[in-house]
Amino acid sequence: MLTRNFGLAAALLLVCLLLVTSLTPFNKQQQLFVSADSAGECIGCILIFRSIEIYVNSKEQSIEKSLNEWCGFLPNEFSSICKLIVKWEGKNLIEALENQETPDVICRQLNICEKFKQCTLFPSNSFRSKLSPQFKQFKLTKRNINTNNNKQSNWWMDLIRKVIAPFYNTFDKHTPLLDLDNDTHSPSSTFGFRGFAWRGQDCNDNDNTIYPGRFKNRYQSTNPNIDHNCNGIYGQDPITKKNYEDLYCNFNSSGIVNRGVAVLGDSVSAHFRIPPQFLEPKYMNGNTFKHLFNILDLEVDWPMLSWGTAFYNDTYSFLTPGPSNSIYKYMWKNNRCIHRDYVNIAVNGARTGAMTDIIKTFRRDQVNDNPMLVFYSLVGNDVCHPAHDFDRYTTPEQFEQNVVTAMNYLDTILPNNSYVIFIGLAQGGFLYQTLQNETHPLGIKYPHFYDYLNCMEVNPCWGWMNSNETIRDITSKHAALLSTVYDKVIRKYSFKNFKMIYHDFPLFEILNVWINKYNGQLKDLIEPFDGFHLSQPGQSLMADVIWEWLLKEHREVIGEENPFNGMIQQKFGQQGGY
């Protein structure tokens, strides 16, 4: 995560705070644990000092030089905070490191982890510094602060809270930060903050009748050069005098359908990921940390590389290695007319109850827009919870009510000929079975990491990320029970504008392909830092598996391949990109 520089510590603490926020269920009325903020700050502090230790041990140079290096590595948004913290707090922090204290002890001395003395991530005999002579010789002059004074205010923590406040306020809304015409799509200037990383880019943010997925073109007869649906296809054929959109994209009873892709989901569909490179000395440089601000404004998610709505290729970032297939990509290759028609409304921590509100940020015009293929994929949080309590699990009756409420809303916005595909809950027992003997990037075993999160009551899934086999089994059985509710909904209810289909969470199909086709190791399908989510290869394989299933069993959802794809590519290339 961070490394030797405490200034970088500030930046990574922001990441850690967002991590804990992402683990917190969406419903703020539920009082789940002592304080999400204080627990998040404690974990952030401990991770910071662990990364400082890792960097210190990797360098044979003075701490002063390393601190200056790290402040230079940070994005401009955070470098000034880094320098300020180093200036005022350096002496106490260096003394703590010289005394070879563990990160847990240091953060208690700083009054950040005082409430969590019972929780220890690094045992005292497992964390001993190998400090260079230059490190021990370096002293940083500053004012004397008594860190043992419980009344002492951590001014730098107050500063960080103020810096991070805008992130929290924006993330609560789940809509683009910049959307001048209020059509729920943002221009090219907004990537994160629920911008076009999540919803197709708006090519005209001053006209609310121009956005991805639009069918009706009010400029059809007056100006064919206006790209009314932002798919990069516009203009008029000089021979036929017909608009290219009409020639290549408007079909009548031909089996070809302009159907966009939407995902209503949780952190799996948002593709939550903290890059483990932040804890690897060889990656601790400006090239790595220049991405920090973007990671934050994306809520520590990577929707542009997710199984549902990835649109970038596998060379997008060295922080997310692996293929990047997605349902949207496959649908676009089948019919290039749907370019940019994707919507990812996945929220970290969302469960079916929260989705009844979140779903209202999803809009579609039943008269003027194309139909949609919608994935309803809430695969864990109805049985995952930080609280050590089975009563927090969603009951089958509540689950059915929540799903039907969401479907009733979709029936009021989705154009006719849409589809909704339910994805069942994950088989989360796979996590512990796979990782129980593996080492976390922090240098500890995963069972201890899980137990620490449980002690702090911020574990995103107490039921599965747990060394207690009985608790894991009860959770798995309840998840399987909730998945059966989808079949009941499909049999019991019908909706005017869409059909419903069910698919199990495709874990075992993913495992089969990964092992037999790619000769992969199971642990590489799981995000190494959180030990919970699908990794980049796992995300891509999930898209592959679901797409193959659609091709074989539900071709009507995909529609026939557009015979003009080649002409579109020849005339419009990448159709304006993303």
Side-chain angles (χ1 to χ4, degrees):
M1 221 148 212
L2 224 153
T3 72
R4 156 82 194 285
N5 138 31
F6 183 67
L8 173 57
L12 285 184
L13 180 52
L14 294 179
V15 175
C16 298
L17 290 173
L18 283 174
L19 166 61
V20 173
T21 299
S22 73
L23 304 183
T24 306
F26 179 79
N27 187 349
K28 295 183 177 180
Q29 302 305 315
Q30 298 174 332
Q31 300 300 317
L32 303 181
F33 31 80
V34 178
S35 169
D37 288 341
S38 59
E41 291 166 2
C42 176
I43 293 174
C45 178
I46 289 172
L47 295 180
I48 286 163
F49 280 100
R50 178 55 170 166
S51 62
I52 289 174
E53 177 71 6
I54 290 173
Y55 190 67
V56 166
N57 287 341
S58 72
K59 297 289 183 179
E60 288 295 329
Q61 61 186 28
S62 70
I63 189 173
E64 181 178 19
K65 183 175 181 180
S66 295
L67 289 173
N68 288 331
E69 285 178 355
W70 271 109
C71 284
F73 293 158
L74 289 177
N76 293 333
E77 294 85 358
F78 302 131
S79 61
S80 58
I81 299 179
C82 164
K83 294 173 183 177
L84 195 60
I85 293 174
V86 169
K87 178 179 179 180
W88 289 106
E89 302 292 347
K91 182 178 179 180
N92 289 332
L93 301 175
I94 292 171
E95 288 177 352
L97 289 172
E98 286 179 332
N99 292 332
Q100 301 182 8
E101 301 287 4
T102 69
D104 303 90
V105 172
I106 292 174
C107 293
R108 289 170 193 153
Q109 292 175 344
L110 291 173
N111 299 321
I112 299 175
C113 294
E114 275 296 299
K115 296 180 182 178
F116 308 101
K117 292 181 179 180
Q118 75 281 10
C119 306
T120 300
L121 186 59
F122 298 103
S124 58
N125 61 356
S126 69
F127 189 81
R128 282 292 177 263
S129 302
K130 299 178 181 178
L131 302 178
S132 65
Q134 296 93 330
F135 177 91
K136 292 184 177 181
Q137 291 171 4
F138 176 73
K139 297 291 181 181
L140 183 65
T141 58
K142 63 173 286 300
R143 59 179 179 170
N144 183 30
I145 295 179
N146 180 10
T147 57
N148 292 318
N149 183 355
N150 290 331
K151 295 182 181 180
Q152 176 63 44
S153 172
N154 285 322
W155 62 270
W156 47 272
M157 289 300 303
D158 293 337
L159 177 60
I160 289 173
R161 292 187 190 105
K162 290 180 180 179
V163 171
I164 204 171
F167 289 95
Y168 286 127
N169 295 336
T170 301
F171 296 163
D172 281 347
K173 299 176 182 178
H174 314 302
T175 53
L177 178 65
L178 180 62
D179 179 18
L180 298 179
D181 57 9
N182 196 33
D183 60 8
T184 73
H185 293 269
S186 62
S188 60
S189 59
T190 308
F191 180 67
F193 294 110
R194 291 283 160 168
F196 74 87
W198 302 87
R199 307 172 188 236
Q201 183 188 139
D202 192 343
C203 52
N204 187 337
D205 204 30
N206 295 307
D207 188 332
N208 63 9
T209 67
I210 296 177
Y211 50 81
R214 176 86 174 185
F215 170 71
K216 187 175 181 180
N217 181 5
R218 71 187 184 107
Y219 300 102
Q220 185 172 10
S221 60
T222 59
N223 192 345
N225 290 316
I226 291 180
D227 186 5
H228 78 284
N229 56 13
C230 304
N231 68 356
I233 301 172
Y234 55 89
Q236 192 175 75
D237 179 63
I239 299 176
T240 64
K241 303 302 181 182
K242 290 185 177 180
N243 294 351
Y244 285 116
E245 182 80 24
D246 292 332
L247 285 173
Y248 298 154
C249 299
N250 292 339
F251 310 101
N252 294 314
S253 303
S254 62
I256 304 171
V257 183
N258 298 328
R259 186 176 285 127
V261 177
V263 178
L264 306 170
D266 50 30
S267 53
V268 172
S269 294
H271 192 2
F272 181 86
R273 171 179 168 82
I274 294 181
Q277 290 92 332
F278 286 137
L279 281 170
E280 299 178 33
K282 67 179 180 179
Y283 291 111
M284 292 177 178
N285 53 49
N287 188 44
T288 297
F289 289 104
K290 73 179 182 182
H291 300 281
L292 185 59
F293 187 81
N294 296 118
I295 292 173
L296 294 179
D297 67 37
L298 284 166
E299 305 170 40
V300 203
D301 296 325
W302 304 74
M304 62 287 190
L305 297 171
S306 65
W307 70 268
T309 61
F311 53 88
Y312 283 150
N313 59 34
D314 56 7
T315 62
Y316 171 71
S317 173
F318 71 96
L319 296 177
T320 52
S324 60
N325 294 333
S326 72
I327 300 300
Y328 164 73
K329 275 188 179 180
Y330 280 125
M331 292 287 283
W332 173 75
K333 290 176 183 177
N334 188 68
N335 182 2
R336 283 178 170 259
C337 292
I338 72 159
H339 186 66
R340 293 183 180 169
D341 193 7
Y342 60 87
V343 179
N344 189 319
I345 304 181
V347 176
N348 297 333
R351 58 199 326 194
T352 56
M355 186 53 68
T356 59
D357 290 323
I358 297 171
I359 198 172
K360 294 173 185 175
T361 67
F362 176 35
R363 296 213 305 260
R364 202 74 170 178
D365 189 316
Q366 291 182 313
V367 175
N368 296 314
D369 292 352
N370 289 316
M372 292 288 281
L373 167 57
V374 180
F375 288 90
Y376 186 89
S377 181
L378 296 160
V379 302
N381 291 305
D382 285 275
V383 296
C384 286
H385 215 274
H388 305 178
D389 186 358
F390 293 115
D391 291 337
R392 299 278 189 174
Y393 293 2
T394 304
T395 66
E397 294 76 19
Q398 292 171 330
F399 194 85
E400 178 181 345
Q401 181 180 353
N402 294 337
V403 172
V404 172
T405 298
M407 296 304 104
N408 282 330
Y409 174 77
L410 289 180
D411 207 31
T412 67
I413 64 166
L414 289 180
N416 192 255
N417 199 23
S418 293
Y419 285 87
V420 173
I421 296 180
F422 298 121
I423 302 296
L425 276 72
Q427 299 83 15
F430 162 77
L431 298 170
Y432 191 87
Q433 295 170 7
T434 303
L435 297 177
Q436 58 183 323
N437 296 317
E438 301 293 338
T439 300
H440 189 277
L442 288 169
I444 57 178
K445 294 295 184 180
Y446 277 95
H448 181 63
F449 176 67
Y450 292 160
D451 289 343
Y452 173 77
L453 294 179
N454 284 328
C455 180
M456 297 290 290
E457 295 191 46
V458 295
N459 191 329
C461 195
W462 167 76
W464 276 325
M465 298 167 67
N466 199 310
S467 57
N468 187 311
E469 184 178 3
T470 300
I471 293 174
R472 298 198 307 270
D473 289 344
I474 291 173
T475 303
S476 293
K477 290 178 181 177
H478 195 78
L481 176 62
L482 292 183
S483 291
T484 65
V485 174
Y486 286 122
D487 183 59
K488 180 180 179 181
V489 170
I490 292 172
R491 288 185 285 105
K492 185 176 178 181
Y493 302 91
S494 61
F495 299 92
K496 178 181 178 181
N497 293 304
F498 60 87
K499 295 180 180 179
M500 297 174 289
I501 306 172
Y502 173 77
H503 194 290
D504 284 330
F505 185 84
L507 175 63
F508 298 114
E509 295 98 316
I510 292 171
L511 297 181
N512 181 59
V513 175
W514 183 238
I515 294 172
N516 296 322
K517 183 176 180 180
Y518 297 103
N519 196 30
Q521 298 185 52
L522 294 183
K523 66 182 181 67
D524 293 330
L525 291 174
I526 304 172
E527 277 296 328
F529 197 95
D530 61 64
F532 185 62
H533 296 92
L534 282 178
S535 65
Q536 187 60 51
Q539 290 274 337
S540 188
L541 285 175
M542 182 168 174
D544 294 344
V545 169
I546 293 176
W547 182 254
E548 288 299 317
W549 166 70
L550 288 173
L551 283 173
K552 293 178 181 178
E553 300 187 28
H554 295 283
R555 181 72 208 208
E556 73 280 4
V557 174
I558 300 170
E560 297 302 319
E561 184 176 357
N562 188 340
F564 301 106
N565 281 339
M567 295 181 181
I568 294 173
Q569 184 174 12
Q570 183 178 11
K571 177 68 178 176
F572 299 102
Q574 292 301 308
Q575 299 169 251
Y578 290 98

